[in-house]
Amino acid sequence: MLSLLKFSFYFLLILIGTASAELPKGIQFRADYYERSLEANHLKGKGNAWVKIEDQEIWADEIEVDFQTNQGIAKRNVRLTRGSVTLIGTRAQFNIKGPDAFFENATLSNGTLVLTGDSIQRLDYGEYEVSEGTYTNCNTNLVDPSHTGECSFDWKISGRRFRLTLEGYAHFYDVVVNAKSVPLLYTPYIILPVKSKRQSGILMPSFPFTATLGSGTSIPVFFALGSWHDLLVTPTFYSSTGLHLAFNYRYVFSDTKQGAVNLAFLTRRFSDNSNPAVDDRSRNRALGLFGEAAARVYNVYSFSNSRSHSKQIISYVSNPYYSFDYTGDLGARADLGNLRSQLTFTRPGDEWLFTAQTQYLQSLVVPRDSGVDRGVVAQLPVLTLSKATAPLLGQWLSYEVDSQFTNFARTAPFDQLATSPAPGIVNATPDPIFLRTGRRLQLEPRLVLNLPIAAGFQLQPLLKAGTLVYNFDYPTFSVVHREYVDVEIPFGLQLSKVYETPLSDFRKISHVFQPRVVFASSLLQTEETNHPFFFRDSQSGLSNPRFDIVDQLTSFQYMRFELINRFQRRNEQGDSERFFWFQISEQYNLKTTPTDPRYATALGPIELFSALRLSSYSLQVQGSYPLQPTTTLNGQLLAVPVSESFLSVGLSFQGNGRTRALLNGLYRLSSDPGLNAQIATFFFYKELPTFFDLEGYVEYNFLTRELYGYHVGFHFRSKPRSCWSFSLTTGRNAFRTQFANIGFSLDFGGVGGI
């Protein structure tokens, strides 16, 4: 009977304890077992105990709350969270009506900031005092909250007492600074920022060095302009060339609106002669300080409620020599030694695609009389309208349409090359500005015949007709047009088979075997006029530069043979991937044209392409071997025919983290000895479990038996978001210039990026 009374009493206490109406407003409480004293207004919970007080939550094995004194005690596996702040300890005392709290054997984390101590006392929300503690940064996203204090540290500050304000500053007393577990420095007092948000401030300096610029000192200053944009100002003073001042502005307003603006200014002035090291003092410096400048603007904008988008790129240097020593200021470079600036607008639709573009290429060619046309051609504008494949007269016939209008404008005069014209450029008149100026309109409709054929076979004849209309202003105003009609008949056989294996990553392997034969022929091509734009020297093979390869209409007829093998794997989870591709092809030209390398010989080269990917390894092989040797070069007979061929092999490995390795080899045999190559390049980056990562690169030419370039680097960092880093890279670049770069940075959580 007594046991029944006790059970009833405890059950009544549980019912009373769980009644939320009895708890003060703003407090929630739960646990596996409850004890509640109504007389003392005391509540105790055991087993997965949890209490929520306004915007903070506390978990522990046991929690007691005295509602008369407004004090609480949490024991064993204690964890308190409020916003981004987490406090973990073995025992805690807290106030349910105020911010004060006291944790024993505690760890505090806020973003990447981590504090540990024998005790941590919260004086106010965001203000703490730590005794016998440590302070460091840690990538807490990779660590279980209960083990934050055991995070693998790059650096650590140990001290007798800390007093800090989150998003403010920390005062440390009797401090020892450690790298890993090695003590480096003692100081009786230090003050440091403890901010996890993006903050403006001075970053750690770096000390670059190159043979042409000398030793440098760089002190970056970061400005957090807002949550979506920032500015980095980096002044660097080089002992040989003076000041380099860089401004890097970034913004990420949304996924559809983002961009960057990079501006750079040099005290250095480049000369107009062939020696970029000469400081041309005849040229004044802007504002009395800057001699050269570079700009790189990149912006992407997508229109709301539409698939239309626009991209803007502006690249500019005040002198072509700028690219020799300051490539980091230029961004991505276009081919043929120039900088590309362009503005594009794209409006895709279900059936039509419209694009508008303007493009300007700034020449970076600097030697005079080099035989290279420095007169840059701008395309203002390029308008394209394309029609996707659409049915015509039922399912057997479909059509496509491409059209493009381009206005070519020259912004600089053509180089006078009368003394040593380069291959492919003919100085036909004293001022051949018409060579690449004018307007071109291309219209190309295509008809595709979808013939009903047995399963496994493919036959889709293609008829392509087009017209090219030109409007030239030089030497006189004229309109020229050309028409062409081509036919292409591909016939293929596609066989496939699926194999099952016991391997988990290759549970099913699909093999597609596809031999193809393609017949193509030009049915109609109107003759070129006598306009200088179409000038060609039949003996030397030299011609005026065209707008595009499509302007070189060559009568052709060939049979192309292709053998394609594709292998695709599927794992146990159902994910699929093409892991092997092997293709070999050969072309037989029924018509040959010595002035067009595509159809110069009757038997074209055997072409090979293969790609293999297995786990972290990938291999790519590409090659070409001629069945007929080349007998002429620029219209001149070769003393010994040459079988022009090449083979390129690339092997890569991608490990965990940043670990990777690349090995590439190139063999090329050309009728022009200057293009022969036997080059091997090797690059690796190894993420080591020690104090540093290792990087290396080497490029060696077996033909000339010399190193084209090499470098080795040591990067003292070990985590994806390391708190400090020290890098040393030294080597020789492709210009055979020795260089060394030294950089050091220490991040206490105060400065971040977008």
Side-chain angles (χ1 to χ4, degrees):
M1 184 67 180
L2 183 59
S3 299
L4 180 61
L5 289 176
K6 286 184 178 180
F7 175 79
S8 301
F9 176 73
Y10 285 124
F11 183 71
L12 180 61
L13 284 179
I14 292 174
L15 292 179
I16 295 174
T18 56
S20 61
E22 297 290 338
L23 297 177
K25 185 177 180 181
I27 297 179
Q28 301 178 49
F29 194 102
R30 71 167 178 260
D32 294 341
Y33 303 97
Y34 293 85
E35 295 180 12
R36 178 99 185 247
S37 173
L38 297 178
E39 181 179 353
N41 200 10
H42 180 275
L43 179 61
K44 182 177 182 180
K46 293 184 178 180
N48 298 314
W50 169 80
V51 61
K52 183 176 182 182
I53 307 170
E54 299 295 343
D55 58 348
Q56 73 178 2
E57 299 178 71
I58 303 174
W59 291 264
D61 291 347
E62 181 179 322
I63 297 178
E64 298 182 40
V65 180
D66 188 333
F67 293 103
Q68 287 186 345
T69 61
N70 294 323
Q71 295 296 313
I73 297 176
K75 302 176 182 178
R76 296 183 301 279
N77 299 316
V78 182
R79 179 161 57 96
L80 179 151
T81 63
R82 181 177 184 271
S84 61
V85 177
T86 299
L87 273 162
I88 299 173
T90 57
R91 187 177 185 276
Q93 295 176 254
F94 56 92
N95 189 339
I96 64 173
K97 294 293 186 180
D100 54 296
F102 183 85
F103 282 72
E104 299 177 3
N105 300 317
T107 299
L108 181 151
S109 62
N110 179 37
T112 60
L113 179 150
V114 177
L115 281 168
T116 65
D118 288 352
S119 67
I120 297 180
Q121 183 175 2
R122 186 173 69 181
L123 307 175
D124 198 352
Y125 297 125
E127 188 172 351
Y128 300 85
E129 188 168 287
V130 184
S131 64
E132 299 298 336
T134 65
Y135 164 60
T136 186
N137 274 20
C138 172
N139 189 1
T140 55
N141 294 329
L142 304 178
V143 181
D144 183 87
S146 61
H147 296 86
T148 303
E150 304 171 10
C151 182
S152 176
F153 303 125
D154 280 332
W155 58 270
K156 181 171 60 177
I157 294 178
S158 304
R160 177 179 56 85
R161 183 170 67 90
F162 305 162
R163 188 181 181 94
L164 71 152
T165 302
L166 296 181
E167 305 305 329
Y169 293 88
H171 303 263
F172 301 88
Y173 302 90
D174 289 336
V175 171
V176 176
V177 180
N178 299 270
K180 294 292 184 182
S181 59
V182 181
L184 298 180
L185 173 70
Y186 168 80
T187 177
Y189 171 79
I190 189 174
I191 181 173
L192 294 172
V194 284
K195 303 178 182 182
S196 60
K197 297 181 180 179
R198 290 160 22 92
Q199 301 290 327
S200 300
I202 299 176
L203 306 184
M204 295 299 293
S206 61
F207 306 95
F209 169 80
T210 66
T212 55
L213 303 181
S215 58
T217 301
S218 176
I219 304 178
V221 183
F222 181 81
F223 297 92
L225 304 178
S227 60
W228 53 273
H229 61 152
D230 58 39
L231 174 66
L232 179 65
V233 180
T234 308
T236 305
F237 184 83
Y238 291 100
S239 58
S240 298
T241 57
L243 179 66
H244 173 278
L245 181 61
F247 297 87
N248 307 105
Y249 171 79
R250 306 178 300 174
Y251 85 93
V252 182
F253 189 76
S254 68
D255 293 339
T256 59
K257 301 174 180 63
Q258 55 187 294
V261 178
N262 298 330
L263 302 176
F265 302 92
L266 308 178
T267 301
R268 183 181 185 181
R269 294 169 299 193
F270 293 109
S271 175
D272 289 333
N273 59 28
S274 59
N275 187 356
V278 175
D279 188 356
D280 186 1
R281 300 185 181 276
S282 65
R283 298 176 52 225
N284 294 326
R285 291 189 171 97
L287 304 177
L289 181 63
F290 301 115
E292 307 292 347
R296 168 72 175 173
V297 179
Y298 176 83
N299 183 67
V300 176
Y301 181 87
S302 298
F303 297 89
S304 302
N305 302 321
S306 173
R307 289 180 289 176
S308 302
H309 57 274
S310 176
K311 180 186 295 185
Q312 304 90 47
I313 299 175
I314 298 176
S315 300
Y316 168 79
V317 291
S318 58
N319 192 292
Y321 283 131
Y322 197 103
S323 62
F324 278 35
D325 296 315
Y326 307 93
T327 54
D329 298 335
L330 305 182
R333 289 180 54 176
D335 294 332
L336 303 178
N338 48 54
L339 289 178
R340 181 183 64 198
S341 298
Q342 70 178 30
L343 167 65
T344 63
F345 170 79
T346 304
R347 183 177 180 82
D350 295 333
E351 297 183 359
W352 292 90
L353 172 66
F354 172 75
T355 64
Q357 174 180 294
T358 61
Q359 184 178 97
Y360 172 77
L361 299 179
Q362 181 185 7
S363 176
L364 296 182
V365 178
V366 291
R368 288 187 173 183
D369 298 325
S370 62
V372 179
D373 178 14
R374 291 187 300 175
V376 178
V377 177
Q379 301 179 30
L380 308 168
V382 182
L383 303 176
T384 301
L385 185 64
S386 302
K387 177 71 171 67
T389 303
L392 177 66
L393 302 177
Q395 299 181 353
W396 286 16
L397 197 63
S398 58
Y399 73 99
E400 306 165 355
V401 177
D402 279 341
S403 59
Q404 185 179 81
F405 172 79
T406 309
N407 178 55
F408 296 88
R410 180 174 289 275
T411 58
F414 190 89
D415 281 353
Q416 299 302 310
L417 305 174
T419 56
S420 57
I425 299 179
V426 176
N427 195 0
T429 67
D431 185 20
I433 195 170
F434 59 83
L435 291 180
R436 292 194 184 200
T437 57
R439 284 143 293 281
R440 181 183 67 181
L441 173 64
Q442 180 183 11
L443 298 174
E444 185 179 283
R446 297 183 294 272
L447 291 177
V448 181
L449 184 61
N450 304 306
L451 294 175
I453 197 170
F457 292 91
Q458 296 176 333
L459 179 61
Q460 288 184 317
L462 169 67
L463 182 66
K464 178 172 63 177
T467 182
L468 291 168
V469 181
Y470 304 91
N471 172 219
F472 300 108
D473 295 325
Y474 302 96
T476 59
F477 183 87
S478 60
V479 176
V480 178
H481 63 89
R482 301 188 66 194
E483 285 73 40
Y484 59 92
V485 179
D486 301 336
V487 65
E488 182 178 298
I489 306 176
F491 176 75
L493 172 65
Q494 181 167 310
L495 303 175
S496 63
K497 186 175 178 58
V498 178
Y499 303 90
E500 295 189 4
T501 74
L503 303 176
S504 59
D505 288 339
F506 296 84
R507 183 61 65 193
K508 291 185 178 181
I509 297 178
S510 173
H511 175 208
V512 177
F513 177 73
Q514 186 179 11
R516 280 181 12 125
V517 178
V518 180
F519 172 78
S521 178
S522 56
L523 302 181
L524 171 67
Q525 289 186 353
T526 56
E527 296 294 329
E528 295 179 345
T529 68
N530 59 358
H531 191 279
F533 175 80
F534 302 104
F535 176 83
R536 180 188 303 276
D537 190 329
S538 59
Q539 294 184 353
S540 65
L542 300 181
S543 65
N544 285 333
R546 308 300 174 88
F547 296 146
D548 199 288
I549 193 170
V550 73
D551 297 303
Q552 186 175 339
L553 293 179
T554 304
S555 181
F556 64 88
Q557 188 176 85
Y558 63 81
M559 295 283 291
R560 184 173 180 84
F561 304 91
E562 298 176 347
L563 182 62
I564 303 171
N565 284 271
R566 301 194 304 270
F567 289 83
Q568 186 165 321
R569 68 176 180 90
R570 184 182 296 271
N571 58 22
E572 291 180 335
Q573 291 74 33
D575 301 326
S576 60
E577 177 194 30
R578 190 184 70 199
F579 69 94
F580 182 57
W581 176 288
F582 178 84
Q583 176 177 331
I584 187 169
S585 58
E586 199 279 329
Q587 182 168 304
Y588 176 67
N589 294 312
L590 302 174
K591 289 184 179 180
T592 59
T593 304
T595 57
D596 193 327
R598 297 173 297 174
Y599 317 111
T601 59
L603 288 176
I606 297 177
E607 299 172 350
L608 168 69
F609 175 80
S610 183
L612 173 66
R613 181 179 179 85
L614 293 175
S615 184
S616 300
Y617 297 89
S618 61
L619 172 69
Q620 188 175 95
V621 179
Q622 188 172 0
S624 173
Y625 182 78
L627 297 178
Q628 285 187 237
T630 301
T631 58
T632 61
L633 175 63
N634 295 331
Q636 303 295 324
L637 287 174
L638 295 174
V640 179
V642 177
S643 296
E644 295 188 314
S645 55
F646 84 94
L647 178 65
S648 173
V649 180
L651 176 63
S652 64
F653 168 79
Q654 180 65 57
N656 296 326
R658 293 184 295 269
T659 298
R660 64 188 186 276
L662 304 171
L663 176 62
N664 294 301
L666 173 64
Y667 170 83
R668 182 172 58 227
L669 180 62
S670 173
S671 57
D672 185 351
L675 299 179
N676 291 339
Q678 297 178 23
I679 298 175
T681 60
F682 177 68
F683 169 84
F684 75 92
Y685 188 104
K686 177 59 178 176
E687 190 170 336
L688 299 173
T690 58
F691 288 100
F692 62 90
D693 298 342
L694 183 63
E695 175 187 343
Y697 169 84
V698 61
E699 180 176 358
Y700 184 79
N701 190 331
F702 291 92
L703 196 62
T704 60
R705 297 182 180 181
E706 65 175 329
L707 286 174
Y708 272 11
Y710 61 87
H711 74 251
V712 61
F714 299 89
H715 306 284
F716 293 80
R717 51 190 179 217
S718 61
K719 297 194 300 294
R721 292 178 60 185
S722 183
C723 309
W724 68 276
S725 65
F726 173 78
S727 297
L728 170 63
T729 305
T730 181
R732 188 176 73 170
N733 59 26
F735 298 104
R736 294 171 174 77
T737 301
Q738 299 289 337
F739 70 90
N741 292 323
I742 301 174
F744 176 77
S745 65
L746 184 62
D747 181 7
F748 290 100
V751 178
I754 288 181

